[in-house]
Amino acid sequence: MAANEKPKDDRAEPGDDRRPAREFRMTELAEEAGITVRTLRFYRERKLIPPPRREGRIAWYNEHHLARLRTIGALLERGHTLGGIAELLAAFESGRDVGELLGLRPPLLPPWSEETPVRLSPEQLADHFSEDITPENLSASLDIGYLAVDGDEFVHISRRLLDASTELVHKGIPLAAVLEAGRKVRAHADALADVFTTLIRTHVLSDILERATATNPPTAQEVEQIARTIEALRPLSKGVVEAELSMAMDRRVQAELEQWLKEQSRDENADSN
C-alpha cells in the first residue's frame, strides 16, 4: 500500500467530503519525520506518540503521528528535554475541549467582545514564551480558558491577550505571574460585567424579560430589540471601564511615586545623620 492510500475499511462515508487521511508504515513515517526507525520506536515506548492503528500484524500511522513527531523535534531544538516534552504533551491531551471555548452553538445575541482567536502549533507557542512553556503554565492557561486544544494545535482565545502576554514575558515578567494577574483581572472583569448586565436588565430590558417564560419566550422582534439595545450600550460600557481604569492607574502610579520619594528622602536623611 502506498503512503498516501487509505485502507478500504477506513474510507470516508458516502457524502463525507473530507480528504482521506494519509497512513504510513513505520519506515515511511520515520522517513517523513526525518528520524530513524529506532528513534520512532523509542518515542512510541516512551508514549510520546499515540499507538498506531493495527491491521493484522501491520501498524499504520497517520498524519496526527507525523505532526506529533515534528512537534517533538521542534521542542527538542528549543531546548526542551524528552521528560519535559512528555509532561507537556500529557497536559496538551488533557485540554481537548475547544468547542466550549469557541462556542459552537449559535449565540442568541451577537457576541459582545471583538476578540479574534489564534491557532498555534506547540512549537509556535514555544516561540512566544520560550522556557516559560512548562506543564504548570500550560495547565494554568487551559484552566483560565486562555488556551484550548483542537487536534494538533492550540487555540488562544484572544489575539490581543496573546500579544500582551508575550510582550510582558519579553519584558522580564514570568509567565506564571502574567497568568496569575490574568486570573485576577478575569475575576474583576466578571464583576464589572455583572454591574452592567444588572443595570441593563433592571432599567432597560425589565419589561421584555418579565414577560418571557419557558412557555412564552421572547419574540423575534423582542430579541432584535435586545440585541440593538446591547449593541448601543457596548461603547458606553467600554468607555466607562477605560476611563475608570485610566484614572485608577493615574492614582496608583502617583501614590507609588510619592511613597518611593518619601523612602528616598528618609534614606538620605539617615545617611546624613
Side-chain angles (χ1 to χ4, degrees):
M1 180 181 293
N4 60 353
E5 291 180 353
K6 191 175 182 184
K8 291 183 179 180
D9 62 341
D10 252 358
R11 283 183 297 189
E13 295 294 328
D16 190 342
D17 59 358
R18 290 175 298 176
R19 296 178 59 188
R22 296 176 65 197
E23 289 199 313
F24 313 87
R25 293 176 185 265
M26 178 178 283
T27 54
E28 295 167 340
L29 179 65
E31 182 179 356
E32 285 280 341
I35 61 176
T36 65
V37 171
R38 181 178 179 181
T39 299
L40 176 54
R41 286 199 181 100
F42 176 72
Y43 288 166
R44 192 176 69 181
E45 290 168 359
R46 292 286 300 270
K47 302 187 184 304
L48 293 175
I49 63 173
R53 183 183 69 83
R54 292 202 170 271
E55 190 176 74
R57 299 181 62 183
I58 303 176
W60 290 104
Y61 299 85
N62 56 35
E63 290 177 325
H64 174 74
H65 294 94
L66 179 58
R68 176 62 62 84
L69 290 172
R70 287 172 174 166
T71 293
I72 292 170
L75 293 175
L76 285 172
E77 289 180 359
R78 287 161 173 76
H80 291 267
T81 65
L82 283 177
I85 292 172
E87 292 179 344
L88 285 172
L89 293 176
F92 182 92
E93 290 290 346
S94 70
R96 293 186 178 278
D97 190 15
V98 75
E100 181 180 353
L101 172 66
L102 298 182
L104 296 182
R105 290 183 301 174
L108 180 64
L109 299 174
W112 187 280
S113 72
E114 300 169 345
E115 302 309 308
T116 303
V118 184
R119 305 186 74 88
L120 299 161
S121 67
E123 53 266 36
Q124 287 173 324
L125 191 66
D127 285 339
H128 275 274
F129 300 110
S130 188
E131 67 274 5
D132 271 350
I133 293 296
T134 65
E136 293 77 16
N137 286 339
L138 182 57
S139 296
S141 298
L142 292 166
D143 181 55
I144 296 172
Y146 282 175
L147 288 180
V149 180
D150 186 20
D152 292 304
E153 293 181 310
F154 288 103
V155 179
H156 196 288
I157 194 171
S158 164
R159 163 63 70 183
R160 289 197 295 179
L161 288 176
L162 174 62
D163 290 345
S165 299
T166 302
E167 186 65 22
L168 289 170
V169 169
H170 288 174
K171 288 186 180 300
I173 302 176
L175 180 56
V178 172
L179 292 173
E180 181 58 27
R183 194 186 296 274
K184 293 178 181 178
V185 169
R186 173 73 60 85
H188 289 299
D190 285 341
L192 287 171
D194 184 63
V195 170
F196 283 105
T197 54
T198 299
L199 198 66
I200 295 170
R201 182 178 64 250
T202 303
H203 300 286
V204 180
L205 303 175
S206 56
D207 291 342
I208 294 176
L209 296 177
E210 285 176 4
R211 289 196 302 269
T213 64
T215 57
N216 182 37
T219 65
Q221 291 79 7
E222 288 174 331
V223 170
E224 184 178 351
Q225 179 184 346
I226 293 172
R228 287 199 306 269
T229 301
I230 291 177
E231 183 64 25
L233 292 172
R234 180 203 304 263
L236 299 178
S237 63
K238 286 186 175 181
V240 170
V241 171
E242 289 176 0
E244 288 289 359
L245 178 59
S246 298
M247 291 187 291
M249 288 297 296
D250 284 341
R251 293 192 298 270
R252 188 57 182 265
V253 169
Q254 184 63 29
E256 292 283 346
L257 179 59
E258 290 176 358
Q259 180 63 28
W260 179 79
L261 290 174
K262 288 179 181 178
E263 292 174 355
Q264 292 294 111
S265 178
R266 284 200 299 268
D267 292 343
E268 291 175 0
N269 291 335
D271 292 339
S272 63
N273 293 332

